[in-house]
Amino acid sequence: MVRVLTLSRNVCAEVGMLFRGIWALRRRCCTGPLLLLGIAVGLFYHTVSMHRDRTEFKSNQRDQRNKSAVFDYKLLLKNPERLVSLLEASQADSFVRHSKRSCAGKAIILTGQHAPTDTEVQLYQRVLQQQGYRVDQARYAETSASLRQDRRDGRDWSVLICLKGSEKSCLRKINFAHPQRRQRVNIIPAFAGAFLDMGGVCRFLTDSQLTGVTLPILPSACAFSTSPQEGTPNAAEDERRQPITHNLSANQDLNATVNVYVLVTSATPLTAFVHRTALVKTHLDKTSYATEVFFRERLGADLSHRAVEHMNRVISDILKAALLSTKESSYSPRCQLCFQLMTFSLRYNSSLHPVVVKLQTDLHFDGMKDPLFDGQIAKEYMLEDVLKLLFPACSSEPVEPTFPFRKQEENKNYGDCEGPNGLCLPPDEMNLLQQFNQHLKRPGPFQLLYPISPLPDDLHHDLIQTESLSAQDYGWRPALMALLQELSLYYTRKHQTESLDNPKSPEASDPLSRKGRCVDPHLRQLYTDPPLVLMPAFNALEKEYRAEVPFDVITVRIWPEPVSPHCHIHLDEHRGPRMANYPVGLGNSRINILVMDESEAEPVVMTIYTLHIYRESRPSLPMFDEYVMCSFEQDCGLVVRPDQPCGLEPIPGMRSSEEAQASPRLCLSGDEPGRWVVPCLSCSDNRTCDWREVAWQPDSCYHPLLDQPQLQTCMTDRRVLFIGDSTNRGMMYYLMERVNTTLEDWDKAHDTIVYHNLNQGRTIVSYSYYPQFWLPKAQRPTFQRALQQLLERSQPLENSPQTVLVAGGVQWLNMNHLKTIQQVLEREGLEKIMVVVKSLGMGFHLPVDGIRSLPLNGVQELYNVNKNILESAKHLGYEVIDTLSITMGRYKEFLQGRCACHFHEVYKLPFPTAASQRKLKILRLGGESRNPADEQTGPRERKEPSSQPGVSYHVKGPVNAVYSEILLSRMCVNHAVNGTIRQQ
């Protein structure tokens, strides 16, 4: 201070003398402009002189402080508890000064190629909001209002997250305006250039500073087109690694590719962590799998520890070499707290020393069985771990130091520094130390990768440390590196001691967690494939969601993830699957997600989430004046008959559906060959068709369409018996609605039910469900017993065509059932009744969890089985309906039900219709066990009570209407009039 005052006094005296001289000169000869120029030159000279003197003074002062600090640093290195306490005291003081700004910080997410509704974007937003940040979204930096603010150059943000597609935009932002001291970006500029692919060679490997340095990495590791399986060490690399190869026994096979996930939290100096989860693919595996214990399972405790050390050293060497080849190792990095996620693919070939075969500056899970689903979930779990490590939640109170030295350390100065920064470090380095201390204190699922304090006998050459030290200002960078290493050594020992003293997890102290209780019954996220746009956006506290999918989406995979691992997830019911593929029928589907506590003997449902999915109808255009008629037998998405064409084909010379159906001949059976016909603008694009006008057309005949009076006359004094599954039941309810005008009673029957007084009491309809698959196999009634019970409970029966038996279902019917029908009817004296066999139908062709699923060749085999059933039934004199040929061309148009086999749905009309017939009387018979909730072939809608006054129902489904009308035409062939079966 004395020196400064002396300098100021001398400067003032000299300036006064200069002005007096200039004033005297002006009175003699100088003009005004010349005088002003002289004054300016004089002021500039003395300003430069003052700056030089001050610089020399500060340099001397700093040198003195450095010399005194070196000894103090050695004291701190010998007492790491004081170092930790000093960092926490400094951080607590910083919290007090910046608490409002820090806890209300702004985070900006640049979505790039992602939609705002993607689960990855939602994950970043959710976690950052939980940690106390206000979150804004934009696609690129140039389109972000927060980053384009004129004032402060848009620097009022705290976190910048750049997702795929926005990286270049982020780099331009970092290069144009360096982030401030506490601003963080998820891209390290140095790595963006170092790991570029330069004609098949990683860019950093071409740097002259690495000449003569051998690194365990393939030169082509940075090429995105290289797969980890293709990267194998060459002979030279094998020879180089041979002296250090450990001999592994047969049961210690280490022939595998391991994806390791690295989080670099700082580039200058280098600090990095590795996630404990790795992605492994051995030479025996077809796909990769995530694991945390690969080395321990394969090598045992001792060798696994050594393998991890070698792996960490390989990764550290590559990171340091990359930084050495960039300008990021200079004293002023562009982004001090920038961080980077990386994927290292390491190849092990019967050695503990791996070779890096692929290196990516992002998280990648491409080798998993389902990378678009399983990989996305694994990635988001890891991202959540990263965010919680880097951005701890804001607290309203500053965190107290771990050790009781805070009051002493607040005023303790190392090297004559004032304020909380008692280490005399620049603010950037102090922030880095504080961050590193917090990461080591609560690492979560991460383990420290670098820096690790070297062991006394470790002679490994450090590629980057010497270069870094020589590139830094005198005295401070070596001290910073020493402090980082001391912190890493201190926490390593501390965590080892804690694990020995308390081997149980922290959750063990919680009595509820110790019992495995579900104390937080909420979902962390709801994953779907394909990704659904949930309305509203997912929130753990929101219990009901809606989503829409287009017509071509026929399955959705659901994977709910709970917040707590002690909570169990079941879909739809208490014993439902944890995760499942769901068929999505046309219209509305409902999926219940049960969050359950199974810690006690009786599981308890804690929370229920509901997902409503609406699947759109087939895209359709209204019919124009100019159109052509097209036909199809099967959809190209599922080719049942490989020997026949698929998709739309033009019908030559045909201009209308009426013209297509103008055949004068009545069809003689219900299995006449046919096809679907539809008007289109072009047969090459099914989106140009008017699907409201689609109709089933036999090739050379027509099925008559009966009006209601003719149908009622035909059904007078008749008894119609149905035996089969829910598809058979759908035909029964269609018949009841057609005969009676309205359907005022509906029941999803799974036993035997009889409807009396249909058609003003002149028609009786009965139904028996078969097969009852929900019962144990030994308790299931045989088809013969089920048929006999139906006949008994439908008495009296007339041995004539006035009694009709309709048998069939999706895919359970076979030749033996036809023989059983013949034998039972002959024994009961009913061999002259009309028997209608409903053949097989499309279903069970989708990969749905919990039920059987047919492969493509199994579906194609159905056609041959169905053909044999039809021929055998006709040989026995039975009527037939070929439902397989009708359903296979429109297999995507199934309605609710997990089997994807229902082409009908019964729903309650919003307003009751005027009934033209008397109220039906229902008689239920039979005591068989029932479990409708378990019905594989039944819709999962809520069961409506029977005989509700003023309630009407309607059977919808155009495909079901077609084969049901064929049933009516075969039953009433003698009452038919000319007409055509069309979509109702």
Side-chain angles (χ1 to χ4, degrees), residues 200-265:
V201 179
C202 294
R203 183 174 181 178
F204 77 97
L205 293 176
T206 63
D207 191 271
S208 59
Q209 299 180 78
L210 297 178
T211 302
V213 177
T214 302
L215 291 171
I217 180 174
L218 293 182
S220 60
C222 300
F224 293 144
S225 60
T226 304
S227 65
Q229 288 72 26
E230 293 173 358
T232 55
N234 55 34
E237 289 167 340
D238 280 336
E239 184 178 355
R240 175 181 64 81
R241 296 187 297 128
Q242 189 64 31
I244 57 176
T245 297
H246 296 273
N247 293 325
L248 301 178
S249 60
N251 60 343
Q252 293 178 328
D253 184 17
L254 205 60
N255 189 354
T257 300
V258 181
N259 279 12
V260 179
Y261 301 98
V262 175
L263 170 63
V264 181
T265 54

Side-chain angles (χ1 to χ4, degrees), residues 462-475:
D462 196 332
L463 294 173
I464 195 67
Q465 184 174 353
T466 304
E467 297 293 338
S468 295
L469 295 176
S470 62
Q472 309 307 323
D473 192 19
Y474 170 75

Side-chain angles (χ1 to χ4, degrees), residues 722-725 768-772 780-791 805-809 812-824 827 835:
F722 290 84
I723 182 170
D725 54 32
S768 182
Y769 192 96
Y770 180 87
Q772 297 182 16
R780 295 176 190 173
T782 63
F783 180 70
Q784 178 178 337
R785 179 185 172 192
L787 178 58
Q788 286 177 333
Q789 289 180 343
L790 176 63
L791 296 176
L805 174 65
V806 182
W812 56 266
L813 189 68
N814 58 40
M815 307 287 213
N816 294 328
H817 295 109
L818 299 181
K819 294 179 182 178
T820 300
I821 292 174
Q822 182 185 29
Q823 293 170 358
V824 170
R827 186 168 59 245
V835 178

Side-chain angles (χ1 to χ4, degrees), residues 15 57 184 313 321 346 445 464-465 564 567 600 626 636 683 786 838 869 944 954:
V15 171
F57 170 71
R184 297 179 179 178
R313 181 167 294 172
L346 299 98
I464 195 67
Q465 184 174 353
S564 170
C567 299
E600 303 295 338
E626 296 295 329
C636 293
C683 294
K838 174 194 174 298
I869 291 174
E944 298 288 346
H954 173 61

Side-chain angles (χ1 to χ4, degrees), residues 714-721 791 795-806 825 828-836 877-879 971 974:
C714 167
M715 299 299 296
T716 299
D717 298 328
R718 302 191 81 167
R719 291 177 179 259
V720 186
L721 289 66
L791 296 176
Q795 294 291 339
L797 298 175
E798 181 181 335
N799 186 20
S800 73
Q802 288 296 97
T803 302
V804 182
L805 174 65
V806 182
L825 293 181
E828 298 293 330
L830 297 172
E831 66 276 1
K832 295 181 181 180
I833 71 171
M834 175 182 286
V835 178
V836 182
Y878 300 156
E879 290 283 351
M971 291 173 56
N974 296 326

Side-chain angles (χ1 to χ4, degrees), residues 65-66 68-69 72 413-417 422 424:
R65 187 192 307 158
N66 288 351
S68 62
D72 292 329
N413 299 329
Y414 292 85
D416 299 327
C417 291
C424 302

Side-chain angles (χ1 to χ4, degrees), residues 861-980:
E861 180 61 25
L862 285 179
Y863 183 81
N864 296 325
V865 175
N866 186 74
K867 185 177 179 180
N868 293 334
I869 291 174
L870 294 172
E871 292 177 353
S872 299
K874 288 191 293 184
H875 180 72
L876 293 172
Y878 300 156
E879 290 283 351
V880 295
I881 303 174
D882 185 6
T883 49
L884 181 64
S885 296
I886 295 173
T887 56
M888 70 180 186
R890 300 178 70 177
Y891 79 96
K892 290 184 179 179
E893 298 182 46
F894 63 90
L895 298 170
Q896 292 187 21
R898 298 183 65 192
C899 64
C901 62
H902 294 123
F903 294 91
H904 78 281
E905 182 180 354
V906 180
Y907 70 97
K908 184 168 62 176
L909 295 173
F911 301 101
T913 59
S916 64
Q917 305 296 335
R918 195 154 54 90
K919 183 76 174 174
L920 298 183
K921 183 170 69 176
I922 298 178
L923 173 65
R924 180 184 298 281
L925 300 173
E928 291 93 341
S929 300
R930 304 171 58 225
N931 188 358
D934 289 338
E935 183 185 3
Q936 295 179 7
T937 61
R940 291 181 174 263
E941 69 266 27
R942 185 175 56 190
K943 179 179 174 181
E944 298 288 346
S946 303
S947 302
Q948 293 188 26
V951 176
S952 296
Y953 302 91
H954 173 61
V955 183
K956 69 176 183 180
V959 178
N960 176 76
V962 167
Y963 52 69
S964 296
E965 286 290 349
I966 295 178
L967 168 65
L968 298 180
S969 72
R970 300 316 304 162
M971 291 173 56
C972 306
V973 65
N974 296 326
H975 302 268
V977 296
N978 289 338
T980 306

Side-chain angles (χ1 to χ4, degrees), residues 491-593:
Y491 277 105
T492 299
R493 292 171 175 170
K494 183 173 183 294
H495 293 324
Q496 290 176 348
T497 303
E498 290 176 351
S499 63
L500 292 175
D501 294 340
N502 183 20
K504 296 182 179 181
S505 63
E507 293 182 349
S509 59
D510 185 355
L512 294 179
S513 297
R514 185 165 57 249
K515 293 182 180 180
R517 296 287 300 274
C518 176
V519 295
D520 188 1
H522 292 92
L523 293 182
R524 186 186 69 89
Q525 185 57 271
L526 178 59
Y527 296 100
T528 63
D529 182 27
L532 299 181
V533 179
L534 300 180
M535 297 175 289
F538 180 79
N539 184 322
L541 301 179
E542 191 72 35
K543 301 301 189 299
E544 194 156 355
Y545 299 91
R546 297 187 180 276
E548 294 184 1
V549 296
F551 172 78
D552 287 327
V553 174
I554 56 179
T555 58
V556 172
R557 193 176 183 189
I558 307 293
W559 186 333
E561 279 295 323
V563 171
S564 170
H566 299 304
C567 299
H568 295 261
I569 302 295
H570 295 281
L571 298 177
D572 277 333
E573 55 189 9
H574 290 195
R575 297 182 180 179
R578 164 75 175 79
M579 171 197 69
N581 282 338
Y582 271 88
V584 184
L586 291 177
N588 293 304
S589 298
R590 173 174 173 168
I591 302 171
N592 290 324
I593 303 168

